[in-house]
């Protein structure tokens, strides 16, 4: 693990494992009387003359979270108001008229940002399947930036991050990896050559569906500084309470993720032989098309997200979702509670998601209660 960049923080031992870093990084230095946690400073302005004079300039709470995320990913973290605020700032690193090779399977909000920039003539887009590493690298040729998700939304396609990062670097393109589904506990793209990692900390890092926050973690300090300037100038700053909560969420990420991932693997296994399910997408399943690559690039586990197609109509799928009562029919992911939704209801996902594709974010409830809910609702609809 990298040394924490924040001098106020507890020193991080380079020998510590990531789950220990997640618990310890970003705490105040351990001196007599020091609090265990960073302060929540609710102030829009500060007494002059200082580096931080106004709320957009900085905040001890963001710095603590940034120290922790930076230590985990091995770079300089910059926290933002949301994952999409961070995405917008990263997109601004592309020079005017530049080219971005963008994965066709990405969170639709990210695709929308790039599409609108393209429509306005700000940049060119080359859309490319993340499943085809050679095609990604061909698209990276002459491009300024390559954008993939470690585990892509909503089909759970696993990108070959080490190959893409190395190939992009050879071609002079920045590689950006949205590691929201993998988290720094399952993949650390900067350590295999990627330039920037995006986290929607709204999801697994926060872990409780009670905040929105994003972070970009950069290998290069110049990129980080440009993102800090962008955040300041555009006011894309996280709330201090949100930063505090995200850091608190990070403390328990390892145990939440382990539990949710074990349940996700079990649910995926059972769904794969369910009479009312036609397809299951979970890279941890030995028969999944992504399994071989996932074993290589996500050796710690395939995460807590899966998707599956109901073997029936859209109406039957919606009826199934309406019958669930342990799982909540809601968007988003990564919280302690399990969430499920039909992704094709979003225009942006209809091109990649079949009409009955349900994306399931597995939480930390008892797996047998989750299974009874899913299986019971499916059987009731088809009875
Ligand atoms: C993979 C992924 N990246 C980025 C985002 C955007 O994050 P936020 O909602 O924090 O803006 C999301 C949101 O769903 C996401 O799923």
């Amino acid at each position: 693990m990298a040394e924490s960049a924040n001098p106020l923080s507890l020193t991080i031992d380079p020998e510590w494992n990531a789950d220990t870093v997640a618990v310890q990084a970003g705490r105040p230095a351990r001196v007599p009387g020091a609090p265990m946690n960073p302060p929540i400073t609710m102030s829009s302005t500060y007494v002059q003359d200082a580096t931080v004079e106004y709320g957009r300039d900085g905040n001890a709470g963001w710095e603590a979270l940034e120290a922790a995320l930076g230590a985990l990913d091995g770079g300089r973290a910059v926290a933002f108001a949301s994952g999409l605020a961070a995405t917008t700032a990263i997109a601004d690193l592309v020079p005017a008229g530049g080219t971005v090779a963008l994965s066709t399977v990405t969170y639709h909000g990210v695709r929308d940002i790039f599409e609108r920039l393209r429509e306005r003539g700000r940049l060119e887009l080359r859309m490319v399947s993340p499943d085809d590493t050679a095609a990604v690298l061909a698209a990276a040729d002459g491009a300024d930036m390559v954008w993939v998700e470690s585990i892509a939304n909503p089909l759970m396609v696993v990108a070959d991050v080490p190959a893409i990062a190395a190939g992009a670097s050879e071609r002079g393109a920045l590689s950006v990896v949205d590691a929201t589904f993998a988290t720094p506990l399952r993949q650390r793209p900067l350590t295999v050559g990627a330039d920037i990692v995006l986290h929607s900390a709204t999801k697994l890092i926060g872990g409780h569906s009670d905040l929105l926050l994003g972070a970009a973690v950069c290998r290069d300090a110049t990129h980080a500084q440009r993102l800090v300037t962008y955040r300041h100038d555009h006011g894309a700053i996280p709330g201090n309470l949100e930063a505090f909560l995200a850091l608190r969420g990070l403390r328990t990420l390892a145990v939440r993720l382990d539990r949710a991932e074990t349940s996700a693997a079990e649910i995926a296994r059972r769904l794969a032989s369910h009479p009312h399910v036609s397809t299951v997408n979970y890279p941890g399943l030995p028969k999944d098309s992504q399994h071989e690559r996932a074993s290589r690039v996500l050796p710690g586990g395939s995460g807590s997200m899966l998707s599956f197609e109901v073997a029936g109509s859209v109406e039957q799928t919606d009826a199934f979702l309406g019958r669930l009562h342990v799982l909540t029919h809601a968007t988003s992911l990564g919280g302690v509670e399990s969430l499920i939704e039909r992704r094709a209801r979003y225009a942006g996902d209809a091109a990649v998601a079949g009409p009955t594709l349900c994306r399931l974010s597995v939480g930390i409830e008892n797996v047998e209660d989750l299974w009874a809910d899913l299986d019971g609702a499916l059987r009731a609809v088809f009875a």
Side-chain angles (χ1 to χ4, degrees), residues 13 15 38 41-42 69 71 101 112 175 179 217 254 258 281 312 321 358 380:
D13 186 330
E15 296 301 316
T41 309
M42 305 301 274
L69 292 176
D112 287 350
S175 53
V217 193
D258 281 353
N281 304 306
L321 295 172
C358 296

Side-chain angles (χ1 to χ4, degrees), residues 82-84 107 110 149 153 178 180-181 200 202-203 213 333:
S82 67
L84 286 190
Y107 172 54
V110 169
E149 294 184 3
N153 209 341
D178 180 339
T180 297
F181 283 20
S200 169
T202 310
K203 316 299 185 191
L213 191 137
L333 61 110

